[in-house]
């Protein structure tokens, strides 16, 4: 590691130190992001207990015993390596964007996911901070989750959709005291930032900022994740057994609180940790020292595909809606109007989902985009168990492969959208054999997918009430129109009577004028 030169050395006397200290304005600032300053504001000052102090390093002193921090001097980090430097020491290989792709330890990662703990650096994912008094209203109106029911310390998954309820991205939202942190897909942070900004009006008290470069994001996942966090944080860790997305702040160094949230991003137990960039490498190293197995992006992608989490650009595109993507858990129909709500409510009320995302146990390699077609055996089984109108002929295109993963010793696996309705009849898919690019594959369920459409009871009641109100308004409008027409007719009749009376009086007058002339 490269040693950075401190401002004063340990051989200086206190007087020399005082004389050598440059003005405060001349001191370079430690890396401490705006993101972390907001997090620090959320932590009560002086609230660190004896248990939480396990995450706090002791004050730095020089070999002579001089405590520089007591003099108000900010000492530069001696071992200030970033995460990439530490990953490189662990044998990581990187892509062009600097993301650790592999540690060449796939077997260890697979074992850790099942019986231990794996650690993946997700700092290249997007983190958008939404602040201001109208922050919940903005997210409530622009995505599928019910944000107005959430309190600080809670969170949820939500799908950002367009007006036709087609998917843009799946985001995880963590509600903090004065902001909401949105965790979004790596390639979607700028498009979503621009999209949300477009829907902010001058009178709205809301601001969206990209804090991705100011903080790191690490995820531990596996059956022993609770043990690792308990060992790392001691009694300060309060999230064991808490629901998904529940989160708390823990201290990991001066001015660098860590957001710890329940959930790994997959259907695997775990926690996601968000920390100021200046403390990310230290936290990564601490987790490795606790026994977490480093996991590269290639292993994360394999886990994502086998778990069935849809990814932006593959399963989350403007060709599919959240129900089709297996994201029913992220959709609320009871929160009132929001973008895409009308389409989603209609699909739910009519059970109108026509295709679904499923796992595919492949017999060989396959390329995303390959056609999924009906196999002869599946067609014969469908003929024997359902009406001909709902069966698929051998070779008929049922869908497309969207993702592929080589599981090495475990074979090949993929994700794909498959038609689940034909002729108005629901077609059972689980366990059937299909062809992917002409090769047999078995359709299997995936842990991440939720297919139960959200209850539309409240939505139906609201719709019925709205319809009744609309009918009432229409009836009142019709009655008012009839009354107006009747009033107009009465006015016309009265006018005709007056005209008739005037004509009669005129005729009488004219008759009276003619009599003297005749005499």
């Amino acid at each position: 590691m490269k040693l950075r030169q401190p401002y004063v050395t340990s051989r200086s006397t206190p007087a020399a130190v005082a004389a050598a200290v440059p003005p405060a304005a001349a001191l370079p600032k430690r890396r401490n992001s705006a993101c972390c300053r907001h997090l620090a504001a959320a932590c009560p000052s002086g609230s660190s207990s004896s248990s939480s102090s396990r995450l706090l390093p002791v004050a730095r002193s020089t070999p002579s015993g001089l405590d520089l921090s007591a003099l108000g001097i900010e000492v530069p980090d001696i071992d200030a390596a970033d995460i990439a430097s530490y990953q490189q020491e662990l044998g990581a290989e990187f892509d062009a964007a600097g993301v650790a792709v592999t540690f060449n330890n796939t077997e260890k990662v697979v074992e850790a996911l099942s019986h231990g703990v794996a650690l993946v650096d997700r700092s290249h994912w997007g983190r958008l901070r939404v602040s201001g008094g109208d922050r919940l209203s903005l997210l409530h109106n622009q995505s599928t989750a019910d944000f107005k029911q959430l309190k600080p310390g809670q969170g949820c998954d939500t799908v950002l959709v367009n007006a036709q309820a087609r998917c843009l991205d799946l985001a995880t939202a963590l509600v903090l005291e004065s902001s909401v942190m949105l965790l979004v897909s790596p390639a979607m942070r700028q498009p979503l930032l621009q999209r949300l900004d477009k829907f902010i009006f001058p009178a709205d008290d809301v601001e969206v900022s990209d804090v991705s470069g100011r903080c790191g994001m690490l995820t531990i996942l596996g059956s022993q994740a609770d043990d690792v966090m308990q060992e790392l944080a001691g009694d300060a860790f309060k999230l064991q057994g808490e629901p998904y997305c529940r989160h708390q702040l823990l201290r990991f160094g001066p001015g660098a609180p860590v957001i710890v949230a329940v959930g790994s991003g997959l259907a695997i137990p775990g926690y996601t940790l968000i920390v100021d960039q200046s403390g990310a490498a230290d936290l990564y190293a601490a987790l490795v020292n606790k026994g977490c197995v480093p996991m590269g992006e290639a292993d994360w992608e394999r886990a994502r595909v086998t778990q069935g989490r849809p990814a932006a650009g593959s399963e989350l595109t403007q060709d599919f809606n959240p129900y089709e993507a297996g994201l029913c858990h992220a959709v609320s129909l009871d929160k009132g109007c929001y973008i895409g709500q009308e389409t989603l409510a209609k699909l739910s009320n009519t059970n109108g989902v026509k295709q679904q995302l499923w796992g595919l146990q492949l017999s060989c390699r396959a390329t995303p985009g390959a056609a999924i077609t009906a196999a002869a055996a599946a067609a014969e089984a469908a003929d024997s168990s359902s009406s001909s109108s709902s069966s698929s002929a051998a070779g008929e295109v049922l869908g497309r492969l969207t993702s592929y993963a080589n599981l090495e010793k475990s074979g090949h696996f993929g994700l794909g959208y498959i038609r689940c309705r034909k002729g108005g009849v629901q077609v059972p898919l689980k366990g059937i054999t299909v062809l992917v690019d002409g090769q047999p594959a078995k359709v299997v369920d995936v842990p991440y997918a939720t297919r139960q459409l959200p209850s539309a009871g409240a939505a139906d009641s609201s719709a019925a009430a709205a319809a009744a109100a609309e009918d009432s308004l229409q009836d009142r409008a019709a009655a008012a129109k009839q009354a107006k027409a009747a009033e107009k007719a009465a006015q016309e009749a009265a006018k005709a009577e007056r005209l008739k009376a005037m004509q009669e009086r005129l005729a009488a007058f004219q008759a009276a004028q003619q009599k003297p002339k005749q005499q």
Side-chain angles (χ1 to χ4, degrees):
M1 300 296 176
K2 188 176 181 180
L3 181 65
R4 291 194 287 176
Q5 183 66 32
Y7 295 116
V8 293
T9 68
S10 60
R11 292 186 292 273
S12 302
T13 64
V17 168
V21 176
L27 287 173
K29 300 296 184 182
R30 284 174 68 93
R31 290 177 296 172
N32 188 18
S33 70
C35 168
C36 225
R37 288 198 297 274
H38 287 291
L39 299 184
C43 290
S45 59
S47 62
S48 57
S49 62
S50 60
S51 59
S52 62
S53 65
R54 298 174 62 177
L55 290 175
L56 290 171
V58 297
R60 293 184 183 174
S61 299
T62 65
S64 65
L66 177 63
D67 186 354
L68 297 181
S69 61
L71 298 177
I73 300 174
E74 289 205 41
V75 184
D77 293 328
I78 293 178
D79 188 6
D82 57 12
I83 291 180
S85 299
Y86 189 70
Q87 290 172 332
Q88 190 171 16
E89 293 180 6
L90 296 173
E93 297 178 6
F94 300 87
D95 63 14
V99 177
V101 176
T102 180
F103 292 86
N104 295 303
N105 62 344
T106 297
E107 290 186 6
K108 291 182 178 179
V109 169
V110 172
E111 176 68 17
L113 292 176
S114 300
H115 306 293
V117 187
L119 166 65
V120 60
D121 177 16
R122 297 170 65 198
S123 298
H124 58 293
W125 286 56
R127 289 168 294 288
L128 303 181
R129 181 177 181 271
V130 186
S131 58
D134 297 325
R135 59 188 181 278
L136 294 181
S137 295
L138 174 67
L139 296 174
H140 192 86
N141 295 334
Q142 295 301 317
S143 68
T144 58
D146 189 351
F147 276 87
K148 293 185 178 179
Q149 299 297 320
L150 298 177
K151 306 297 182 185
Q154 298 178 332
C156 66
D157 282 342
T158 190
V159 187
L160 292 111
V161 295
N162 63 16
Q164 292 74 40
R166 300 304 179 97
C167 296
L168 301 176
D169 195 19
L170 170 63
T172 299
L174 304 178
V175 179
L176 308 175
E177 289 290 344
S178 60
S179 64
V180 177
M181 183 77 77
L182 280 184
L183 313 181
V184 303
S185 299
M188 291 303 297
R189 65 183 190 180
Q190 282 304 315
L192 292 179
L193 179 67
Q194 295 169 3
R195 179 178 177 82
L196 291 174
D197 188 65
K198 183 175 69 173
F199 288 96
I200 298 175
F201 296 96
D204 293 341
D205 179 21
V206 61
E207 180 181 356
V208 183
S209 55
D210 183 4
V211 297
S212 308
R214 304 175 185 175
C215 52
M217 184 167 78
L218 310 176
T219 294
I220 60 172
L221 56 171
S223 60
Q224 302 302 313
D226 281 333
D227 295 339
V228 170
M229 288 306 305
Q230 196 72 46
E231 186 177 351
L232 185 69
D235 294 338
F237 178 65
K238 305 293 185 183
L239 295 175
Q240 190 168 2
E242 290 294 319
Y244 178 69
C245 278
R246 184 79 68 173
H247 55 276
Q248 70 172 116
L249 287 169
L250 294 173
R251 288 279 183 177
F252 185 77
V258 181
I259 300 176
V260 182
V262 178
S264 65
L266 303 176
I268 299 174
Y271 297 92
T272 295
L273 300 87
I274 302 172
V275 61
D276 182 76
Q277 192 64 47
S278 62
D282 289 338
L283 180 56
Y284 189 94
L287 291 168
V288 171
N289 290 337
K290 295 299 180 183
C292 296
V293 177
M295 178 180 183
E297 183 67 13
D299 287 322
W300 166 268
E301 177 66 7
R302 274 189 283 268
R304 179 195 74 79
V305 174
T306 56
Q307 287 282 303
R309 176 185 171 121
S314 297
E315 292 78 28
L316 300 179
T317 73
Q318 297 190 36
D319 294 325
F320 310 109
N321 64 57
Y323 295 157
E324 296 169 339
L327 300 176
C328 294
H329 69 280
V331 178
S332 171
L333 294 180
D334 300 335
K335 68 172 188 170
C337 293
Y338 59 93
I339 188 168
Q341 181 266 345
E342 183 178 353
T343 299
L344 292 172
K346 182 178 180 180
L347 288 171
S348 182
N349 293 338
T350 61
N351 192 23
V353 178
K354 297 181 179 179
Q355 57 186 342
Q356 294 174 328
L357 184 65
W358 285 85
L360 292 157
Q361 290 181 344
L362 304 168
S363 56
C364 60
R365 287 181 174 272
T367 303
I372 301 173
T373 57
E380 292 172 2
D383 285 334
S384 63
S385 62
S386 61
S387 65
S388 60
S389 62
S390 63
S391 62
S392 299
E396 182 179 353
V397 176
L398 303 178
R400 295 283 174 183
L401 186 72
T402 55
S403 290
Y404 163 79
N406 183 354
L407 306 184
E408 299 182 353
K409 294 181 180 180
S410 299
H412 306 270
F413 198 87
L415 293 175
Y417 282 98
I418 306 176
R419 190 178 66 223
C420 60
R421 291 180 70 87
K422 187 176 182 182
V425 178
Q426 193 77 19
V427 178
L429 295 175
K430 185 176 180 179
I432 70 170
T433 298
V434 295
L435 301 179
V436 177
D437 204 12
Q439 300 300 315
K442 183 180 180 180
V443 177
V444 297
D445 211 346
V446 283
Y448 196 86
T450 51
R451 308 191 194 283
Q452 181 64 47
L453 296 179
S455 174
D460 287 343
S461 299
S462 299
E470 185 177 354
D471 291 342
S472 176
L473 288 173
Q474 290 177 347
D475 292 341
R476 289 167 58 186
K481 186 176 181 180
Q482 291 176 353
K484 188 173 183 180
E487 181 181 1
K488 184 176 181 180
Q491 290 175 350
E492 292 293 338
K495 183 178 179 181
E497 289 294 331
R498 291 196 299 271
L499 181 59
K500 181 179 179 181
M502 290 177 61
Q503 291 174 339
E504 291 176 349
R505 289 197 296 272
L506 179 60
F509 175 76
Q510 291 175 343
Q513 291 295 321
Q514 290 293 333
K515 286 182 179 180
K517 292 181 180 180
Q518 292 174 356
Q519 294 177 354

